[in-house]
Amino acid sequence: MVFGFTKRNNFEGGGIVLFTSVEEAIAAEKVLKAGEYETKLVAPPPDLRKGCDLALEINLVEKTGVERMLRAKNLSFLEILPVKSGSELLQVVQVTDFGGAIMVKAGNMKLTFDRGSGVILNVSGGGCPDIPYLHAEMLDKKLAEAPRPRDVGYTLCSLMLDRAFVESLDIWSNGRK
Amino acid sequence: MYLICGTVPKKDLPLTLGVVKFLGPVISLDGVEIPCTQGTAALISAACVTAGYLRLSPPRALLVGDDGTGKGSRVLYDYLIKNISAMSPGVLLLHYMLPVMGLMKKVCESASKTKKRLFMIADAAAMYAAKAAGLAASFDVFTPDLSEMAFLADPDAMHPAYVSRHLFESDASKIPELVAAAYRHKNAAKMLMVKGSTDYIAADGKIVGTISEPDVPALEAIGGTGDTISGMAGAFICGGFRPLDAARATFRANRMAGQYAGATPATRIREIIEALPRVFDEHLEEWKKAENSS
């Protein structure tokens, strides 16, 4: 049984894009709406206020795709932050040595590559819809030849996978020197 | 009915509902073949194999293509909001979908209107949305790994990418503390199945079971080994297992399948799933007897 696509439901974000000027915020809203992102012009919460008095609420999980779209349209913005203050994007990575393979973990994502060849053996963890897609795109490719998750994915899971990917590339490159 | 809902990396797949079959390299839904890889396809494969072994009706799946833009996910949410109450599956499992808090709230509202209460399981980003929207307690089972357990324990995090560093750096020995924090902040389902080097089962804020044998460290690296856990657990629940017994059988079977498949970091999830029938043949009765006598 196949169903058609229907209109969207209500939006509840959790992320906020900050701008220097009101004009930038309005232009960004137009571009993101055209790209079918759900957005809402809002006043930034007092503790996050930087730049102008207008911000865009977005679904925080879509940070990667939103950033890419704004940059592609040459629209400047100051920062994308969670509405709840105090939260920072994880920067730390953890490395597990399996002997012939190395697993790099960033947030909820793990990338495992062959120590000798640099071929990506597995991608695990995560939960956003771009991860199974990235899994299929990256497996069996050499780290140096695989697409960067940040350039292909749309979500925070892909951003975490990008962190693991960059660290893996670094470990593998240094191991060859 | 065991209904599994999620997205698959087949961008052009419209929302499709039907009985799913595990065919080895692929699953089949309404004539559409989807590769058995990490994500909802792996979950469905494990669910089909388990349901088949238990001689249950095969699971039904509600799947849509989504490459991460969230377009397919929104269609899926929309359908669930409008139809889940009438469909009233016995077990509802929500899996890979863009986490959208407002839509998850509406899904839970609709699910609460069924005549018979649904048994609700969430894994992957459906679990992220449920927690971020403050709906964790509406669910019967969450299946987090260690990093996701840290996310549930962090009252402010909207996604595991924003977990506090000190929580992210917790090792597996801290799981009981993370579990307690998640329940304290009302960010846990009724039962948590925490997958890791030692698997933990928690209910009502307390650890009620651990499984650590056989030890197969490579399982953590293999994409889909968490998905198989959720899929199996749902099938065991459908088969009449009590949730705690379902959790124990699931964790044991996943580990044993990893051992039988000779898991290495390069193993593919399909190889683990294909080892499950042998695991069930050789161990399920023995595990059931042990549960009944405890």
Side-chain angles (χ1 to χ4, degrees):
Chain A
M1 199 185 303
V2 175
F3 304 95
F5 284 66
T6 55
K7 66 176 184 180
R8 286 182 178 180
N9 282 282
N10 284 347
F11 164 63
E12 191 169 345
I16 200 154
V17 193
L18 301 174
F19 301 91
T20 306
S21 72
V22 169
E23 290 76 18
E24 285 172 353
I26 291 169
E29 188 211 19
K30 199 172 170 185
V31 161
L32 291 176
K33 283 212 157 137
E36 297 193 48
Y37 283 100
E38 293 188 75
T39 63
K40 191 165 77 175
L41 284 166
V42 293
D47 53 339
L48 295 181
R49 189 158 294 189
K50 288 179 192 172
C52 74
D53 288 342
L54 199 58
L56 263 186
E57 187 180 359
I58 60 161
N59 185 349
L60 182 63
V61 177
E62 297 180 299
K63 174 180 158 77
T64 309
V66 166
E67 278 180 342
R68 190 165 62 237
M69 181 163 278
L70 292 179
R71 290 203 174 105
K73 300 288 181 184
N74 290 319
L75 290 171
S76 61
F77 59 95
L78 287 171
E79 221 171 342
I80 297 179
L81 296 169
V83 172
K84 281 190 182 177
S85 60
S87 301
E88 285 180 25
L89 201 57
L90 267 175
Q91 304 290 337
V92 63
V93 295
Q94 296 169 336
V95 178
T96 303
D97 191 342
F98 284 104
I102 292 173
M103 179 174 76
V104 178
K105 178 178 176 183
N108 55 337
M109 293 306 311
K110 297 159 218 167
L111 186 149
T112 304
F113 64 94
D114 183 273
R115 183 194 290 272
S117 65
V119 168
I120 297 170
L121 301 174
N122 254 307
V123 169
S124 61
C128 291
D130 45 1
I131 295 305
Y133 185 77
L134 283 163
H135 181 270
E137 288 290 306
M138 297 174 77
L139 243 58
D140 295 328
K141 291 195 172 79
K142 291 188 174 181
L143 285 163
E145 295 161 6
R148 265 194 80 163
R150 191 184 67 180
D151 297 337
V152 180
Y154 295 86
T155 68
L156 287 171
C157 286
S158 68
L159 194 56
M160 289 294 101
L161 181 57
D162 193 74
R163 294 250 154 100
F165 173 80
V166 169
E167 182 70 17
S168 297
L169 197 52
D170 193 42
I171 291 169
W172 185 67
S173 302
N174 286 331
R176 296 173 72 216
K177 285 174 189 168
Chain B
M1 186 212 308
Y2 179 14
L3 179 64
I4 298 167
C5 307
T7 61
V8 290
K10 210 172 169 73
K11 200 176 169 183
D12 55 352
L13 179 72
L15 188 67
T16 307
L17 172 67
V19 170
V20 268
K21 291 177 194 157
F22 172 62
L23 303 176
V26 296
I27 58 169
S28 170
L29 169 64
D30 208 25
V32 179
E33 294 191 341
I34 300 158
C36 171
T37 54
Q38 182 258 10
T40 302
L43 183 151
I44 287 171
S45 301
C48 287
V49 170
T50 310
Y53 188 85
L54 297 174
R55 298 177 189 275
L56 306 173
S57 304
R60 287 171 73 82
L62 182 62
L63 300 182
V64 66
D66 193 332
D67 61 353
T69 60
K71 292 186 178 94
S73 298
R74 289 187 170 92
V75 174
L76 173 59
Y77 279 114
D78 195 34
Y79 183 85
L80 285 171
I81 291 162
K82 288 174 181 156
N83 297 289
I84 197 61
S85 175
M87 291 173 82
S88 193
V91 174
L92 174 66
L93 196 157
L94 304 177
H95 200 223
Y96 270 71
M97 51 183 71
L98 191 77
V100 184
M101 291 181 285
L103 298 181
M104 183 57 84
K105 279 181 186 168
K106 290 190 169 189
V107 169
C108 287
E109 276 171 27
S110 297
S112 70
K113 290 175 187 160
T114 52
K115 282 184 185 167
K116 190 181 170 193
R117 190 184 170 278
L118 306 186
F119 191 95
M120 300 208 344
I121 304 173
D123 184 23
M127 177 174 69
Y128 307 167
K131 183 265 185 177
L135 297 163
S138 306
F139 285 79
D140 295 279
V141 180
F142 278 174
T143 53
D145 65 9
L146 176 59
S147 66
E148 291 167 335
M149 194 59 245
F151 162 66
L152 298 178
D154 187 331
D156 294 324
M158 304 287 291
H159 182 279
Y162 279 95
V163 168
S164 300
R165 182 175 175 154
H166 77 279
L167 290 172
F168 175 71
E169 290 180 331
S170 301
D171 61 28
S173 69
K174 301 285 187 205
I175 285 176
E177 292 162 42
L178 297 175
V179 163
Y183 277 101
R184 194 167 58 247
H185 296 302
K186 302 191 184 332
N187 288 329
K190 293 175 183 66
M191 185 169 83
L192 296 177
M193 295 174 61
V194 189
K195 50 219 181 193
S197 52
T198 293
D199 300 316
Y200 286 81
I201 307 164
D204 299 325
K206 291 176 188 160
I207 305 295
V208 294
T210 58
I211 310 286
S212 52
E213 295 295 332
D215 184 23
V216 189
L219 282 177
E220 189 184 359
I222 301 167
T225 48
D227 307 317
T228 52
I229 284 172
S230 306
M232 269 193 282
F236 281 127
I237 298 282
C238 273
F241 282 55
R242 292 175 301 178
L244 179 57
D245 298 343
R248 283 200 183 107
T250 295
F251 280 139
R252 286 172 173 148
N254 212 49
R255 286 166 174 273
M256 200 64 81
Q259 188 178 63
Y260 283 4
T264 73
T267 297
R268 297 297 152 86
I269 192 60
R270 180 187 152 200
E271 300 170 63
I272 307 285
I273 294 163
E274 286 176 339
L276 285 173
R278 183 181 157 206
V279 172
F280 296 150
D281 270 339
E282 295 181 8
H283 299 282
L284 195 54
E285 278 308 310
E286 155 205 340
W287 294 337
K288 279 165 79 176
K289 278 180 194 163
E291 297 295 355
N292 290 336
S293 63
S294 63

